[in-house]
């Protein structure tokens, strides 16, 4: 079981290791990024991510006293045109009352470590935000297109893993 303490009071768990929170986790991910018609998409994706098999996708929960206060996911593809690069950091979320304490930054670092452990040298994300990811060490690498045709910025960052020769 992968548990990591962040700032002494929070813990990050992989969803598959906290299945008692499955329904609540699906609802939280869907509530932040879903629509009224795609709850089943989130449920099915997250359910199959908790089974045996490949290393992606994976969903993570940031918890404080048995309450989910943050999330992120590592995905093969974040519904973006650049399917040639992966993994993707997605669904980064911190509850509003916990923002401003660098928890989002700590979750990004956790995601980088997890990606490196899985053998990936780089981690990517797509966003329309300006400044947030740059101040956390991410570099703008390219533009791509979301599934709805909108252009988006693609950022990347090294996981710290060195390629095997």
């Amino acid at each position: 079981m992968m548990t990591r303490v962040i700032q002494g009071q929070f813990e990050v768990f992989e969803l598959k290791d906290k299945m008692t929170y499955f329904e609540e986790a699906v609802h939280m991910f869907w509530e932040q990024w879903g629509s009224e018609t795609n709850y089943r998409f989130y449920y099915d994706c997250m359910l199959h991510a908790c089974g045996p098999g490949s290393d992606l996708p994976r969903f993570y929960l940031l918890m404080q006293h048995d309450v989910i206060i943050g999330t992120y996911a590592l995905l093969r593809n974040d519904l973006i045109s650049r399917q040639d690069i992966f993994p993707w950091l997605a669904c980064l979320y911190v509850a509003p009352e916990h923002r401003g304490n660098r928890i989002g930054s700590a979750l990004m670092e956790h995601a980088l470590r997890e990606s490196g452990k899985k053998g990936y040298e780089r981690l990517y994300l797509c966003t329309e935000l300006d400044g947030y990811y740059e101040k956390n060490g991410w570099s703008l690498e390219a533009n791509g297109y979301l599934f709805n045709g909108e252009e988006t910025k693609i950022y990347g960052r090294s996981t710290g893993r060195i390629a095997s020769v």
Side-chain angles (χ1 to χ4, degrees):
M1 174 157 78
M2 181 60 196
T3 304
R4 178 89 175 167
V5 175
I6 293 180
Q7 297 182 348
Q9 57 182 328
F10 306 108
E11 292 181 298
V12 179
F13 296 95
E14 193 169 331
L15 176 57
K16 71 179 183 69
D17 296 330
K18 284 280 192 180
M19 289 301 286
T20 56
Y21 292 93
F22 180 79
E23 297 284 341
E24 182 181 351
V26 171
H27 185 77
M28 182 170 246
F29 276 83
W30 171 75
E31 189 174 62
Q32 297 308 312
W33 296 281
S35 70
E36 61 185 53
T37 60
N38 68 357
Y39 182 84
R40 288 182 180 173
F41 171 86
Y42 282 87
Y43 188 97
D44 193 52
C45 180
M46 293 172 75
L47 180 65
H48 288 92
C50 292
S54 75
D55 61 346
L56 295 173
R58 290 290 180 238
F59 295 86
Y60 297 84
L61 308 175
L62 173 67
M63 303 193 65
Q64 180 183 41
H65 308 298
D66 295 324
V67 175
I68 302 171
I69 61 167
T71 65
Y72 80 86
L74 295 176
L75 306 175
R76 284 190 198 289
N77 185 277
D78 196 12
L79 301 178
I80 188 167
S81 59
R82 293 297 307 272
Q83 295 191 26
D84 58 312
I85 54 177
F86 62 90
W88 293 86
L89 170 63
C91 304
L92 179 65
Y93 173 77
V94 176
E97 63 271 19
H98 294 283
R99 293 179 186 166
N101 297 313
R102 303 214 28 91
I103 295 171
S105 298
L107 283 173
M108 283 185 260
E109 293 298 322
H110 188 273
L112 288 160
R113 283 190 304 275
E114 288 296 299
S115 297
K117 287 180 199 174
K118 293 177 184 310
Y120 299 104
E121 294 176 39
R122 293 193 68 70
L123 182 60
Y124 302 91
L125 63 86
C126 61
T127 186
E128 290 309 310
L129 292 177
D130 287 317
Y132 180 70
Y133 292 100
E134 292 93 337
K135 76 179 183 180
N136 284 286
W138 296 80
S139 300
L140 179 63
E141 295 195 357
N143 286 334
Y145 297 91
L146 300 172
F147 68 97
N148 62 8
E150 291 181 17
E151 191 172 24
T152 188
K153 295 179 281 189
I154 298 171
Y155 288 84
R157 187 165 164 201
S158 171
T159 65
R161 179 177 170 78
I162 298 174
S164 302
V165 180

